[in-house]
Amino acid sequence: GVTALYQRDIPQTIILMSQEGIKRKDPDWHAAQVMNFILGSSGFGSRLMEEIREKRGLTYGIYTGISPLDHVSTLTLETSTRNEKTAEVLDLVHKEWVRMRDTDVTDKELKDAKDYLTGSMPLALTSTDHISSMMLSLMMDDLPSTYLDTVTDKVNAVSIADVRRVSQSLLTPDKMV
C-alpha cells in the first residue's frame, strides 16, 4: 500500500482509496456484491457509515464500490473529513476493513443486503434506456442475456461463510492505495 498526500488550502481532506477488486465473471462476484453492500455501498446502514458518520460525525458520507474494468478491477472507498480528523478516519476505515475480513456478518446484515440487491433489480429495468444500458453492460462483460433470469437466485444463495471467504480474499488493508 501507498499513501500520497496532495496539499491544498481547503478545510477538508478528501480521501480516495483503492485496492484490487474482483472481475464480474468471478464465481464470487455475487458474494463480493453482498459484502460490499454491508461494508459501504449501501450508504446509511453500511458498517462504514454507521461507525464513521453516525457514531462519530466525522463525515457527511462514506461509500465503497467495486468496479470491474477491462484491465483492472478495483474496490474503492471515498469520503471526506475535517483536516484534523483525517488520521482518525483512516484508522477507523482500517479497523472496519479488518472487522469485515475477520468476523462474520450478522444474519440481519446478510438478509438486508440480499433483500436490497434482489429487490432493486427490477428498478434497474424501468425504462428503455435502463434496459438497453443493462443489456450493453452484459454484452461488454461477456455475460449471457439469461443472466437476469439467474441473478436473484445467485444473490440469495450467498451465505455468511461466502461473505467471510470473499472478505478474507478481497480486503487487504496493507495493499490499499
Side-chain angles (χ1 to χ4, degrees):
V2 175
T3 301
L5 174 63
Y6 301 96
Q7 295 266 339
R8 299 286 185 261
D9 187 21
I10 57 175
Q12 282 196 328
T13 297
I14 299 164
I15 300 169
L16 303 170
M17 300 171 75
S18 182
Q19 69 168 76
E20 187 176 349
I22 187 170
K23 290 289 190 184
R24 184 120 182 239
K25 290 179 95 174
D26 189 298
D28 281 330
W29 171 257
H30 300 290
Q33 291 295 106
V34 171
M35 182 273 306
N36 184 51
F37 184 88
I38 295 166
L39 179 63
S41 76
S42 63
F44 289 100
S46 74
R47 287 182 173 189
L48 287 165
M49 188 72 86
E50 177 69 23
E51 287 300 317
I52 296 173
R53 177 187 168 145
E54 296 301 310
K55 287 184 179 177
R56 294 174 178 85
L58 296 172
T59 188
Y60 181 73
I62 184 165
Y63 305 95
T64 59
I66 299 173
S67 299
L69 304 173
D70 287 344
H71 300 288
V72 67
S73 294
T74 61
L75 172 60
T76 58
L77 175 137
E78 297 181 30
T79 192
S80 59
T81 191
R82 297 182 310 275
N83 290 337
E84 63 274 10
K85 296 296 183 178
T86 302
E88 183 178 356
V89 168
L90 291 173
D91 182 57
L92 289 167
V93 166
H94 184 270
K95 286 178 180 172
E96 286 305 308
W97 234 247
V98 170
R99 182 168 77 105
M100 177 62 79
R101 184 191 66 200
D102 294 347
T103 62
D104 286 337
V105 298
T106 66
D107 289 331
K108 181 177 182 345
E109 286 175 317
L110 182 66
K111 181 185 181 317
D112 289 350
K114 292 186 335 184
D115 286 351
Y116 179 85
L117 292 169
T118 59
S120 65
M121 180 57 68
L123 299 175
L125 304 170
T126 57
S127 67
T128 304
D129 62 330
H130 288 138
I131 294 168
S132 61
S133 177
M134 175 70 73
M135 295 309 292
L136 178 61
S137 174
L138 294 177
M139 287 174 53
M140 291 176 66
D141 290 333
D142 197 29
L143 295 169
S145 59
T146 57
Y147 175 82
L148 297 178
D149 296 332
T150 62
V151 68
T152 297
D153 290 339
K154 289 178 180 179
V155 170
N156 282 330
V158 173
S159 68
I160 289 173
D162 294 330
V163 173
R164 178 86 179 269
R165 185 186 69 257
V166 166
S167 296
Q168 289 173 336
S169 164
L170 279 180
L171 299 178
T172 53
D174 57 320
K175 294 182 180 176
M176 185 68 79
V177 175

